[in-house]
């Protein structure tokens, strides 16, 4: 027996004994002697798969198929390895290539069914599993036949759940939007893929998927989905808003404004459009029009902190520093009343940054603000205000800083008592 055969046989023995690492070493020796031995590549690939080296296994199967491209068992092994690597499209291609070579192989149909199922092609997956079950039955392989039947039953249950979800689109969309809000964008995208596969003419699903794709950074794919949504339903206002948002991300501010204008032609009362158009005007450096759009939102939704915040930013660029401060403070008050301390503190920080800018405008002092009691010490006032803002000293300091900016030249106790009275009034 020559060395090549001896190493090969030892590799087989070690593989059968479960010593896959030892088997790989023996097949390495074989291939150093004869790098054209297909069986050694194939067997080494099987051992590498068992060791968890999926990439190494693929490389061995590729090498074997280059030497002999009509070996069905190698395509099957490579397809199963691709499944393990979640390359479902690659696994499907290997299954289909196997069936071209031999259309009576149950494992190939089973592999095809698994790949189709993972890709969401449930009806086609059932056909593949049925074909595999029939062949296994003819071969009297009851165990694998039953496994295919079980897969069919599971897929049919998935289809039933899908039909139930399609019957209640509103609930389905609500779940998708909840996932978006929690940052589970990939899950939301997969849900919408499935829904569109079930109903390709669902304009709302295309609109939501466009929004999710934009959040994932796939702007051109998002535009394609939103175009499809509007082609299916030109009256879907939400899609115009989402497309405007994507176009802004792509720097197409004129296109974003046009989208908003189209939405407003359909429904001038759709107030959310003004937020998007305001942002587009602002990015186009047309701050006056941006302020007008945000003001329109505030007229209709006076408790919208984002509208005040966006108008504050536009007013800053419009060099209306007092107006910007007022809008920031209004947004902060809304967040304060809602108990949203994170947003509240962030806006107070922004106010402080703005106040550090050189002043072009100066408020006049007023004598009729309120009359301080003069009966409470500074430390008592400080403790009272800090308690009122939940123990956050930095928030209390910001409120006093705002009072100092608005009304310069007053005593320190006056500012603390003014901040206390403002909070009590706003509550």
């Amino acid at each position: 027996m020559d060395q090549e055969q001896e190493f090969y046989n030892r590799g087989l023995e070690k593989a059968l004994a479960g010593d896959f690492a030892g088997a790989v070493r023996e097949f390495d020796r074989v291939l150093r002697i004869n790098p054209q031995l297909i069986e050694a590549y194939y067997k080494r690939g099987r051992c590498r798969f068992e060791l968890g080296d999926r990439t190494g296994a693929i490389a061995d199967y590729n090498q074997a198929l280059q030497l002999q491209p009509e070996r069905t068992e190698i395509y099957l092994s490579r397809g199963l390895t691709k499944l393990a690597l979640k390359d479902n499209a690659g696994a499907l291609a290997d299954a289909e290539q196997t069936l071209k070579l031999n259309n009576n192989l149950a494992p190939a149909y089973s592999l095809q069914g698994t790949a189709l199922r993972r890709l969401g092609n449930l009806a086609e997956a059932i056909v593949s599993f049925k074909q595999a079950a029939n062949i296994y039955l003819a071969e009297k392989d009851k165990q694998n036949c039953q496994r295919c039947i079980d897969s069919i039953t599971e897929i049919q249950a998935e289809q039933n759940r899908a039909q139930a979800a399609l019957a209640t689109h509103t609930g389905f969309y609500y779940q998708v939007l909840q996932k978006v809000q929690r940052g589970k964008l990939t899950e939301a995208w997969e849900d919408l893929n499935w829904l569109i596969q079930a109903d390709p003419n669902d304009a709302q699903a295309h609109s939501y998927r466009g929004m999710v794709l934009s959040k994932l950074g796939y702007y051109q794919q998002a535009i394609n989905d939103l175009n499809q949504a509007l082609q299916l339903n030109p009256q879907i206002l939400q899609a115009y808003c989402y497309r405007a948002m994507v176009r802004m991300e792509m720097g197409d501010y004129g296109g974003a404004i046009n989208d908003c204008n189209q939405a407003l032609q359909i429904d001038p009362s759709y107030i959310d459009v003004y937020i998007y158009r305001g942002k587009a005007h602002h990015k186009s450096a047309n701050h006056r029009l941006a302020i007008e759009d945000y003001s329109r939102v505030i007229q209709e939704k006076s408790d919208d902190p984002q509208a005040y915040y966006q108008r504050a930013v536009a007013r800053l660029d419009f060099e209306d520093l007092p107006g910007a401060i007022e809008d920031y403070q209004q947004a902060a008050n809304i967040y304060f009343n809602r108990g949203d301390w994170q947003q509240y503190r962030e806006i107070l920080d922004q106010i402080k940054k703005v106040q550090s800018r050189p002043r072009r405008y100066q408020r006049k002092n007023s004598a009729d603000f309120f009359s301080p009691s003069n009966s409470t010490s500074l430390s008592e006032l400080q403790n009272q205000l800090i308690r009122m803002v939940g123990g956050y000293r930095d928030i209390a300091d910001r409120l006093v800083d705002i009072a100092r900016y608005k009304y310069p030249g007053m005593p320190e106790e006056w500012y603390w008592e003014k901040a206390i009275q403002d909070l009590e009034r706003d509550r």
Side-chain angles (χ1 to χ4, degrees), residues 238-250:
Q238 179 189 70
Y240 287 108
C241 291
Y242 289 152
R243 194 168 68 179
M245 177 181 67
V246 179
R247 283 178 165 167
M248 277 188 276
E249 293 292 341
M250 299 174 74

Side-chain angles (χ1 to χ4, degrees), residues 300-315:
E300 300 293 329
K301 299 167 66 177
S302 60
D303 61 343
D304 186 342
Q306 274 301 307
Y308 284 105
Y309 180 87
Q310 295 295 341
R311 192 172 70 175
V313 175
R315 280 180 159 171

Side-chain angles (χ1 to χ4, degrees), residues 279-302:
K279 290 180 180 179
H281 280 313
H282 188 199
K283 287 181 177 292
S284 301
N286 198 332
H287 308 308
R288 183 183 59 80
L289 290 180
I291 292 168
E292 289 179 4
D293 277 340
Y294 296 137
S295 297
R296 177 66 181 270
V297 177
I298 290 168
Q299 286 175 4
E300 300 293 329
K301 299 167 66 177
S302 60

Side-chain angles (χ1 to χ4, degrees), residues 8 38 60 75 89 173 180 193 207 286-287 379 392 416 419:
Y8 182 79
I38 298 166
D60 276 339
Y75 280 110
Y173 291 140
V180 172
N193 284 345
S207 177
N286 198 332
H287 308 308
S379 61
Y392 294 104
W416 286 86

Side-chain angles (χ1 to χ4, degrees), residues 135-186:
I135 297 173
Y136 280 130
L137 185 62
E139 295 173 351
K140 297 182 180 179
D141 186 343
K142 294 182 179 179
Q143 183 177 358
N144 279 316
C145 179
Q146 185 61 51
R147 181 176 55 80
C148 292
I149 292 172
D150 290 342
S151 294
I152 292 170
T153 302
E154 291 171 2
I155 293 172
Q156 288 172 335
E158 290 179 35
Q159 288 179 315
N160 291 336
R161 289 194 295 270
Q163 291 173 357
L166 285 172
T168 57
H169 275 193
T170 301
F172 184 87
Y173 291 140
Y174 176 78
Q175 292 175 5
V176 167
L177 292 175
Q178 288 293 304
K179 289 181 179 180
V180 172
Q181 289 179 1
R182 293 196 297 269
K184 296 181 178 180
L185 298 176
T186 302

Side-chain angles (χ1 to χ4, degrees), residues 105-389:
L105 284 176
Y109 284 110
S110 180
L111 173 63
Q112 184 184 52
T114 302
L116 286 167
R117 181 181 181 182
R118 292 187 181 182
L119 289 167
N121 301 330
L122 301 184
E124 295 178 39
I126 288 176
V127 173
S128 296
F129 280 121
K130 283 182 177 179
Q131 189 66 31
N134 289 334
I135 297 173
Y136 280 130
L137 185 62
E139 295 173 351
K140 297 182 180 179
D141 186 343
K142 294 182 179 179
Q143 183 177 358
N144 279 316
C145 179
Q146 185 61 51
R147 181 176 55 80
C148 292
I149 292 172
D150 290 342
S151 294
I152 292 170
T153 302
E154 291 171 2
I155 293 172
Q156 288 172 335
E158 290 179 35
Q159 288 179 315
N160 291 336
R161 289 194 295 270
Q163 291 173 357
L166 285 172
T168 57
H169 275 193
T170 301
F172 184 87
Y173 291 140
Y174 176 78
Q175 292 175 5
V176 167
L177 292 175
Q178 288 293 304
K179 289 181 179 180
V180 172
Q181 289 179 1
R182 293 196 297 269
K184 296 181 178 180
L185 298 176
T186 302
E187 288 185 23
W189 173 70
E190 290 172 350
D191 288 346
L192 292 165
N193 284 345
W194 166 81
L195 185 59
I196 289 170
Q197 200 164 50
D199 184 3
N201 294 321
D202 188 331
Q204 190 81 346
H206 282 286
S207 177
Y208 281 132
R209 191 171 71 174
M211 176 267 291
V212 172
L213 284 168
S214 72
K215 289 181 178 293
L216 288 167
Y218 299 114
Y219 299 128
Q220 189 54 57
Q221 294 94 318
I223 289 288
N224 294 340
D225 251 335
L226 293 164
N227 288 344
Q228 181 66 19
L230 290 167
Q231 184 176 346
L232 293 167
N233 181 3
Q235 303 297 309
I236 186 166
L237 300 176
Q238 179 189 70
Y240 287 108
C241 291
Y242 289 152
R243 194 168 68 179
M245 177 181 67
V246 179
R247 283 178 165 167
M248 277 188 276
E249 293 292 341
M250 299 174 74
D252 180 13
Y253 306 129
I257 291 169
N258 287 336
D259 273 338
C260 294
N261 290 341
Q262 287 185 63
L264 289 170
Q265 285 178 3
I266 298 169
D267 184 1
S269 66
Y270 190 50
I271 201 67
D272 290 344
V273 179
Y274 290 98
I275 282 283
Y276 291 98
R277 194 174 70 175
K279 290 180 180 179
H281 280 313
H282 188 199
K283 287 181 177 292
S284 301
N286 198 332
H287 308 308
R288 183 183 59 80
L289 290 180
I291 292 168
E292 289 179 4
D293 277 340
Y294 296 137
S295 297
R296 177 66 181 270
V297 177
I298 290 168
Q299 286 175 4
E300 300 293 329
K301 299 167 66 177
S302 60
D303 61 343
D304 186 342
Q306 274 301 307
Y308 284 105
Y309 180 87
Q310 295 295 341
R311 192 172 70 175
V313 175
R315 280 180 159 171
L316 274 181
D317 290 334
F318 198 58
E319 298 186 351
D320 178 9
L321 183 60
I325 291 287
E326 287 179 358
D327 278 342
Y328 277 131
Q329 186 59 58
Q330 188 62 38
N333 290 342
I334 294 170
Y335 283 126
F336 180 87
N337 291 332
R338 293 180 180 179
D340 189 339
W341 293 110
Q342 180 178 354
Q343 292 288 346
Y344 179 68
R345 296 172 74 181
E346 287 178 2
I347 292 180
L348 291 184
D349 286 337
Q350 186 65 29
I351 292 172
K352 187 172 183 180
K353 291 177 183 177
V354 171
Q355 288 175 330
S356 67
R357 296 185 178 188
R359 298 186 187 179
R360 297 190 181 187
Y361 302 90
Q362 181 65 46
R363 290 181 177 269
K364 295 181 180 180
N365 291 335
S366 175
D368 59 350
F369 299 136
F370 74 102
S371 298
S373 63
N374 296 324
S375 61
T376 309
S377 69
L378 176 60
S379 61
E380 290 174 329
L381 292 169
Q382 290 172 335
N383 291 335
Q384 182 180 349
L385 181 57
I386 291 168
R387 285 196 302 272
M388 291 177 68
V389 296

